[in-house]
Amino acid sequence: MSDRIRGVLAPVLTPFNKHYEPDTKSFINHCRWLVDSKAGLAIFGTNSEAASLSVTERLNLTDAILEAGIPANKLMPGTGACSITDAIALTSHAVKNGASGTLMLPPFYFKGVSDHGLFNYYSEIIERVANDKLRIYLYHIPQVSGVPITLNLIEMLRKKYPNIVVGAKDSSGDWSNTEAMITNFGKDGFDVFPGSESFLLKALKIGGAGCISATANMNPAGINAIYEGWNQEQGEALQSYADVIRKIFQALPMIPAMKRYVAEVTGNQEWRVVRPPLTEIDQATVTKLLSDLSDAKFSMPNYPK
């Protein structure tokens, strides 16, 4: 399992210009800074506003960062979609370009679907992509998708595709569920990433693979320090400080708050732009955000201007 992507991954923010078009240069700069800060790139996750991006936009942005020299083995693109054909196009592109894995939401429009139906969805994609290098990480975020990835579904998929369905991101916020994923499947080569660094230390202690967290966009080095030092004397202190930063952003609408902070760091006010239906945070909220982060002595060192 040593070739698998592990550690800290960021669901990479997608910068837009004032016309809501992806800002490729800023995207490349952000990805490069994250990689330099020892984070992997879960491009096109929830905090990437992925559901607001077209298939073509995702493919073009992926091509752009690869052409800019971002290592393909740092990538875990989000390739789940309600449409099987969209998911196949995104997944095939990721695998052919050498991504370490793909993070796949279940189809999220229809609710109350069965594990059997979800199994058929993933199975159809696997069979049609037809590439033995494919590595799928299931994305469990039921409070947003409305479609849970159950332990039973994981078992069904692992039984038929043990070398392809190799992990999960658990963004449920329910530690007992993350713990169950790790204890039930972790020893069998299934890599579980909690969706928040708040669970990172606990997860690593029982065999978790790392975390895929929104605030890895802001604090990649600090969160990576937990991953590298979790079993050392400073592990608890590193976790406590990362929790402080997480709570500041988590108390706000996270995507516009994170983007606004990058705008403040860079002076590039287009970083503030979020695609509708999301909206920017107001000035009073910005003032409090900046004050809280200053009190916490937080910064984004070496971020490109």
Side-chain angles (χ1 to χ4, degrees), residues 1 158 181-192 206-207:
M1 310 304 173
R158 289 284 293 163
M181 283 188 179
I182 296 171
T183 55
N184 279 277
F185 304 107
K187 292 180 181 178
D188 189 33
F190 189 78
D191 293 335
V192 178
I206 62 169

Side-chain angles (χ1 to χ4, degrees), residues 183-250:
T183 55
N184 279 277
F185 304 107
K187 292 180 181 178
D188 189 33
F190 189 78
D191 293 335
V192 178
F193 296 81
S196 167
E197 68 271 27
S198 297
F199 297 130
L200 180 55
L201 187 60
K202 289 200 291 188
L204 292 171
K205 286 180 177 179
I206 62 169
C211 71
I212 305 173
S213 171
T215 33
N217 279 285
M218 304 286 99
N219 189 29
I223 301 171
N224 185 69
I226 303 169
Y227 178 73
E228 293 185 347
W230 68 271
N231 59 350
Q232 299 172 24
E233 185 177 349
Q234 71 271 28
E236 295 286 349
L238 292 168
Q239 180 69 71
S240 294
Y241 181 68
D243 288 346
V244 169
I245 305 307
R246 172 79 188 193
K247 287 174 183 175
I248 292 171
F249 284 103
Q250 191 170 274

Side-chain angles (χ1 to χ4, degrees), residues 73-235:
N73 65 2
K74 294 290 186 181
L75 301 183
M76 187 193 287
T79 64
C82 288
S83 159
I84 284 180
T85 50
D86 286 351
I88 290 166
L90 291 164
T91 304
S92 294
H93 183 269
V95 178
K96 289 175 183 177
N97 281 283
S100 287
T102 63
L103 183 61
M104 293 191 65
L105 274 170
F108 50 83
Y109 182 80
F110 295 106
K111 307 301 188 287
V113 294
S114 66
D115 283 351
H116 178 70
L118 294 173
F119 175 88
N120 289 344
Y121 168 85
Y122 285 107
S123 179
E124 191 70 14
I125 292 167
I126 291 166
E127 298 295 341
R128 288 209 226 170
V129 170
N131 191 319
D132 61 10
K133 294 182 180 178
L134 174 60
R135 300 292 180 267
I136 289 175
Y137 296 81
L138 306 169
Y139 188 5
H140 177 61
I141 185 168
Q143 70 274 29
V144 175
S145 70
V147 180
I149 302 292
T150 66
L151 299 179
N152 179 62
L153 176 61
I154 295 171
E155 186 172 1
M156 292 168 66
L157 288 166
R158 289 284 293 163
K159 185 174 181 179
K160 186 164 184 181
Y161 303 108
N163 298 317
I164 293 176
V165 180
V166 297
K169 176 187 179 185
D170 183 6
S171 289
S172 66
D174 178 358
W175 168 248
S176 64
N177 189 75
T178 306
E179 184 178 36
M181 283 188 179
I182 296 171
T183 55
N184 279 277
F185 304 107
K187 292 180 181 178
D188 189 33
F190 189 78
D191 293 335
V192 178
F193 296 81
S196 167
E197 68 271 27
S198 297
F199 297 130
L200 180 55
L201 187 60
K202 289 200 291 188
L204 292 171
K205 286 180 177 179
I206 62 169
C211 71
I212 305 173
S213 171
T215 33
N217 279 285
M218 304 286 99
N219 189 29
I223 301 171
N224 185 69
I226 303 169
Y227 178 73
E228 293 185 347
W230 68 271
N231 59 350
Q232 299 172 24
E233 185 177 349
Q234 71 271 28

Side-chain angles (χ1 to χ4, degrees), residues 8-71:
V8 178
L9 288 85
V12 181
L13 295 170
T14 306
F16 301 108
N17 64 26
K18 63 183 179 181
H19 303 294
Y20 301 120
E21 300 163 337
D23 179 344
T24 303
K25 180 180 177 182
S26 293
F27 185 65
I28 291 168
N29 286 343
H30 190 56
C31 288
R32 186 171 286 129
W33 178 76
L34 290 168
V35 169
D36 289 346
S37 303
K38 300 185 179 180
L41 306 176
I43 53 175
F44 316 131
T46 299
N47 289 275
S48 314
E49 300 172 73
S52 300
L53 293 168
S54 70
V55 169
T56 299
E57 287 171 327
R58 296 198 215 185
L59 297 179
N60 288 344
L61 285 170
T62 304
D63 288 342
I65 60 173
L66 291 172
E67 288 167 10
I70 302 295

